[in-house]
Amino acid sequence: MRILIVNTSEKAGGAALAAGRLTEALNRNGAQADMLVRDKQTENARVESLPWPWQQQWNFLWERWCVFCNLRFSRRHLWDIDIANTGTDITRLPMFRQADIVHLHWINQGMLSLKGIARILDSGKPVVWTMHDAWPSTALCHLTLGCRRFTSHCDHCPLLPGGGGENDLAARTWKRKEDMLRRGNITFVACSRWLAEEARQSRLLEGHRVTTIPNPIDTGLFHPTPQAEARRQLGLPADARLILFVSQRVTNKNKGMDYLAEACNRLCRNDGKPMPETALVVMGGHAEEVGHLFNMKVYAQGYVNDARRIALTYSAADVFVLPSLSENLPNTIMEAMACGVPCVAFNTGGIPEEIDHLQNGFVAQYRDADDLARGIGWVLFEADREQLRRNALDKVRRCFSEESVARQFMTLYEEVSRK
């Protein structure tokens, strides 16, 4: 059985990492899987980029321009919306013709159009679509953030000026998605039970199967390194309690940097001076821009794309904190746990499916900086961190290992092939 995994990027973003890990996991567990991307960043022979680079750039720019126009030339929600009005017809490519199963992942920003997905369905090949966010079940948005229009019909979108006006982009895109989904059956896979339940409530996905399979983690890469050794290699202090925050772009408001700053500052002594034994490590784009928010020493690591260095940074930490305001099943929590690091995060999305409260970390009340600080302090100064570490490693082995996830997908592929 040959599986074609389709994602916009090979390496950039959580969906790309998850798609790449699944490709490797399937190949290591008896399947034949290849990956098709727009943006290829390695020499991996199993990954092929789309042809005609100039056309890919044009597709990207044209879709962004159309979104920009509908936002009345405001950049405020420019990256929150996708309309898939242009993209590449991959059904003409040899990789597609050779595939038995087509497995879509994050295919936005000019990778595939809705017409292109319709052509994939018209081919008669079984299609599986992993949902890394809500976009497949809404008209435009990746994060619903409390909006429930997708349960009936997306229109007058709150992300659009004036709610969309007379020529409603959300309603038009919803209709195009409806027409596309009528062309054939898609099996949707949500990475978390939370997102699966959200998807089942979408009027768009009525009649389509929605199931849950988590993303895999490569425990050969993400594994514990002795903390002292990790800190020595990274030049981090040997005797401090280190709090770690990781994000592709740390200034992304959705990642909760303001809540992290408030929580960390509440860990300071009553006189307002920083605790000398506690420091923060920030890894991600724009990390050097946030140090002024904290009353403790901040070690800005910047954007890192070396997976081994990322794993080493996890191992150097005493606690990993991700105060995101909306998440599916974040890879960063899974990676930290695979390195034996307890995690603290808000109770949102699929996070409680990763962090077992007071067992391998702390699930804080949503948008509550006081409770976030309480959780960080509990891990650093009260809990049995060795027991938390063992529990985290056990959770990853049982639920997120490559072998476990690959086996679930192989079973699913067999099922959809028989239909």
Side-chain angles (χ1 to χ4, degrees), residues 158-368:
L159 298 180
L160 297 173
E166 293 180 5
N167 191 19
D168 194 316
L169 178 65
R172 286 187 284 123
T173 307
W174 179 276
K175 179 64 166 59
R176 291 171 55 229
K177 279 191 174 180
E178 278 187 324
D179 293 342
M180 178 267 291
L181 288 167
R182 290 194 189 104
R183 305 288 280 269
N185 234 340
I186 299 178
T187 298
F188 289 91
V189 176
C191 303
S192 66
R193 294 189 297 274
W194 165 79
L195 185 59
E197 186 54 37
E198 289 284 284
R200 292 185 186 108
Q201 296 181 47
S202 170
R203 181 65 63 86
L204 266 180
L205 303 192
E206 282 186 351
H208 295 269
R209 178 184 177 187
V210 179
T211 189
T212 305
I213 302 176
N215 294 325
I217 184 77
D218 182 356
T219 52
L221 177 61
F222 290 94
H223 59 79
T225 296
Q227 189 179 82
E229 175 61 19
R231 293 185 179 190
R232 185 192 66 78
Q233 291 190 41
L234 296 170
L236 294 172
D239 55 353
R241 301 287 177 95
L242 293 184
I243 302 165
L244 174 64
F245 174 85
V246 177
S247 177
Q248 186 176 9
R249 178 168 59 89
V250 305
T251 53
N252 180 346
K253 288 292 185 182
N254 184 61
K255 297 300 180 181
M257 177 58 70
D258 291 341
Y259 288 94
L260 179 64
E262 188 176 351
C264 285
N265 291 340
R266 291 186 187 193
L267 290 173
C268 293
R269 292 190 176 125
N270 292 333
D271 60 8
K273 294 180 181 178
M275 293 181 293
E277 72 276 12
T278 304
L280 176 70
V281 179
V282 180
M283 183 166 61
H286 304 276
E288 68 285 350
E289 298 175 12
V290 300
H292 69 282
L293 299 174
F294 296 86
N295 294 330
M296 60 175 61
K297 177 68 175 177
V298 176
Y299 296 89
Q301 302 295 293
Y303 182 78
V304 179
N305 58 12
D306 180 347
R308 297 194 180 279
R309 183 178 177 86
I310 294 171
L312 206 62
T313 307
Y314 284 122
S315 289
D318 293 294
V319 61
F320 173 70
V321 185
L322 186 68
S324 293
L325 306 183
S326 179
E327 285 285 359
N328 180 13
L329 199 75
N331 287 325
T332 50
I333 288 179
M334 199 182 303
E335 291 165 357
M337 291 173 62
C339 294
V341 181
C343 300
V344 177
F346 284 140
N347 186 359
T348 186
I351 284 173
E353 298 171 37
E354 293 179 299
I355 302 175
D356 300 316
H357 186 53
L358 303 182
Q359 300 299 312
N360 52 40
F362 190 99
V363 180
Q365 297 177 37
Y366 187 57
R367 291 181 181 260
D368 188 333

